[in-house]
């Protein structure tokens, strides 16, 4: 079979590119351990009252370590705040917070300003991630997955005290 010289070069170039990409993919999985995020647990979104999400809020877990359970629902984050009060928590400077979050209804987002925190919240799945707040200030938790007509108001606040 005759293959033109230029065409042959292109075949080599494409095969070489695929080879490099495949090697990078295999190296990232088997050498660097990169995996897709997976849910850390499952929960029935209709039965949250009988789970660890029955009483959302901040719990002290020891030396400046906290767990914050959050339930996302149209269109607010429930951090355990009293009815009619803003979704807001105070933590001391340097606090390490483990966020344990789920959604009660539709897909929501969980993004924290100025932090490496970006989770997708799917009803029925638990998302868990840690963040340390070294600088005092106000940090917003923002829903960045469009979730309906009140989406733009879906925001909560973490205040790191000095
Ligand atoms: Cu939302």
């Amino acid at each position: 079979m005759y293959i033109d010289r230029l065409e042959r070069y292109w075949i080599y170039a494409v095969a070489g590119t695929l080879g490099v990409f495949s090697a990078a993919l295999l190296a990232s999985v088997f050498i660097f351990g990169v995996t897709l995020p997976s849910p850390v647990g499952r929960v029935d979104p209709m039965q949250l009252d009988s789970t660890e999400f029955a009483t959302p809020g901040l719990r002290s877990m020891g030396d400046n370590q906290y767990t914050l359970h959050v339930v996302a629902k149209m269109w607010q984050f429930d951090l355990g705040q009293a009815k009619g009060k803003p979704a807001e928590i105070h933590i001391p400077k340097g606090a390490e917070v483990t966020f344990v979050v789920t959604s009660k209804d539709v897909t929501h987002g969980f993004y924290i300003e100025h932090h490496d925190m970006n989770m997708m919240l799917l009803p029925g799945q638990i998302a868990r991630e840690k963040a340390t707040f070294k600088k005092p200030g106000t940090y917003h938790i923002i829903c960045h997955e469009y979730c309906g007509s009140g989406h733009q108001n879906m925001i909560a606040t973490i205040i790191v005290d000095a």
Side-chain angles (χ1 to χ4, degrees):
M1 182 174 71
Y2 172 75
I3 299 175
D4 182 74
R5 187 170 52 94
L6 275 177
E7 204 167 352
R8 202 168 53 238
Y9 290 162
W10 277 108
I11 291 171
Y12 294 152
V14 168
T17 306
L18 285 175
V20 168
F21 284 173
S22 301
L25 182 71
L26 293 172
S28 63
V29 172
F30 294 108
I31 297 173
F32 300 108
V34 176
T35 57
L36 288 174
S38 56
V40 294
R42 296 193 175 274
V43 70
D44 181 352
M46 307 299 280
Q47 307 286 331
L48 288 184
D49 285 344
S50 59
T51 68
E52 59 183 314
F53 294 100
T55 51
L58 194 67
R59 291 177 185 88
S60 177
M61 304 304 284
D63 188 20
N64 217 5
Q65 292 185 321
Y66 298 88
T67 299
L68 179 63
H69 281 80
V70 182
V71 176
K73 52 191 173 188
M74 292 187 279
W75 291 280
Q76 59 167 304
F77 290 106
D78 186 349
L79 311 179
Q81 69 272 21
K83 221 180 168 90
K85 295 281 184 202
E88 189 179 289
I89 56 154
H90 283 262
I91 52 172
K93 183 181 148 187
E96 183 189 83
V97 182
T98 303
F99 294 88
V100 186
V101 194
T102 192
S103 165
K104 202 182 170 82
D105 38 43
V106 298
T107 302
H108 295 284
F110 194 91
Y111 168 76
I112 300 181
E113 277 182 323
H114 314 301
H115 270 83
D116 185 15
M117 172 79 70
N118 181 346
M119 301 193 286
M120 182 187 258
L121 310 175
L122 299 169
Q125 294 188 0
I126 300 171
R128 188 191 314 255
E129 198 58 65
K130 256 185 208 166
T132 304
F133 295 84
K134 291 183 182 138
K135 277 196 205 152
T138 301
Y139 301 86
H140 291 111
I141 303 172
I142 296 162
C143 173
H144 63 322
E145 294 278 344
Y146 181 72
C147 58
S149 62
H151 165 70
Q152 72 280 0
N153 301 322
M154 196 164 162
I155 193 164
T157 309
I158 298 169
I159 296 165
V160 180
D161 297 321

